[in-house]
Amino acid sequence: METDRLYRVHKEDLPRLEEILNRCFAKDPLYETLIPDPQLRKRLMPELFRLDMEEMYRTCEIFADSKELRGVIVVSDEAEPCNLLKFYWTEAWAALHTDVCLIREDPSLKTFHNFLRGEDYLNSRWTRDLGENQRIHIVYLAVDPHSQHHGIAQILMDAVIEYAQSHGRMLSLETHNARNLEFYRRFGFEVYRILVKHFSLKQYCLIREAQTRMAPAAQPKLVPQG
């Protein structure tokens, strides 16, 4: 994906984005479910997001609203050619290091077991059922809590939607917060499926069809946290 409306993140920007993700998702239902102990979650999440950002930097595209890095959107353009060897090696590297981190911080293996049981919440496997390769998946959308309610989430979403519309791409994403659904509906997303597996946690899987035209932009009152 290419856009001149957003700032493409560089490797030296990753620590700042890790901080934003850590703050934004500190109370996300997904992480509260998989890591129910608050103190353990506080220790684990910075490391998990560090590993995530390293993986995403190699396999996805990461954009911010500007060089000030007030908000971040991570996308995977499924229509773009991919070096499969590099992709699977990077995924294996990230999985191994994540497992080591989980076991190190919780030797009881309870958290490790939760992540195994919660795999379907983490891997976006549901998108395979869409049967659509001309698609962009939004992996993360987050705005620094200090910069929320200033339209930054809309700037990020508008740029991705503009590219998707001009290239005939479907958009997909998931959230674990029901209160985020109205925000995404404003951009033309609809719930495709609600996933509930092994936990009571609901994962809302959303899509925006390629031919959908975005309604006139409205200043969002809600900034998504997941």
Side-chain angles (χ1 to χ4, degrees), residues 4-202:
D4 57 5
R5 296 183 59 179
L6 301 176
Y7 169 75
R8 184 178 286 273
V9 166
H10 301 287
K11 191 171 181 63
E12 57 267 27
D13 298 318
L14 296 185
R16 165 67 176 153
L17 298 185
E18 292 158 19
E19 293 176 4
I20 292 175
L21 292 173
N22 191 44
R23 286 198 289 268
C24 286
F25 292 96
K27 296 183 179 180
D28 185 82
L30 173 64
Y31 295 101
E32 289 185 329
T33 299
L34 299 182
I35 317 173
D37 181 84
Q39 293 304 315
L40 179 59
R41 190 164 62 248
K42 187 176 181 179
R43 295 199 309 272
L44 268 173
M45 288 185 63
E47 180 68 8
L48 294 178
F49 283 124
R50 184 186 69 80
L51 293 170
D52 255 7
M53 284 295 95
E54 288 192 22
E55 178 187 4
M56 300 303 170
Y57 188 76
R58 296 179 179 133
T59 61
C60 299
E61 293 167 287
I62 307 176
F63 298 96
D65 61 301
S66 65
K67 290 183 180 180
E68 282 69 39
L69 304 174
R70 296 171 297 176
V72 57
I73 191 164
V74 181
V75 300
S76 174
D77 191 341
E78 305 301 318
E80 292 294 323
C82 174
N83 183 326
L84 290 178
L85 181 61
K86 178 182 177 182
F87 176 81
Y88 287 120
W89 183 91
T90 301
E91 278 207 331
W93 174 91
L96 175 62
H97 284 74
T98 297
D99 291 348
V100 169
C101 177
L102 295 174
I103 295 170
R104 183 187 66 235
E105 294 295 333
D106 182 9
S108 73
L109 301 183
K110 290 181 180 178
T111 305
F112 177 70
H113 181 59
N114 280 349
F115 271 68
L116 289 180
R117 293 176 66 214
E119 183 180 9
D120 286 322
Y121 290 97
L122 296 164
N123 58 24
S124 302
R125 190 173 293 159
W126 65 272
T127 58
R128 297 177 184 176
D129 296 338
L130 295 172
E132 179 58 75
N133 292 327
Q134 296 297 309
R135 178 176 56 82
I136 295 173
H137 188 67
I138 299 175
V139 184
Y140 282 120
L141 171 64
V143 176
D144 190 314
H146 301 299
S147 300
Q148 290 180 2
H149 311 297
H150 290 85
I152 293 173
Q154 180 151 356
I155 290 171
L156 296 166
M157 288 293 289
D158 282 351
V160 174
I161 289 173
E162 179 185 79
Y163 179 89
Q165 286 190 159
S166 63
H167 291 77
R169 302 278 206 274
M170 173 188 283
L171 287 168
S172 59
L173 59 85
E174 59 260 342
T175 182
H176 305 92
N177 286 333
R179 66 179 182 269
N180 290 340
L181 296 179
E182 181 57 32
F183 171 86
Y184 288 119
R185 287 190 177 110
R186 295 176 192 174
F187 293 98
F189 284 87
E190 297 179 353
V191 175
Y192 172 78
R193 174 179 299 165
I194 299 176
L195 172 69
V196 180
K197 191 170 184 179
H198 301 307
F199 299 95
S200 60
L201 176 70
K202 291 183 179 180

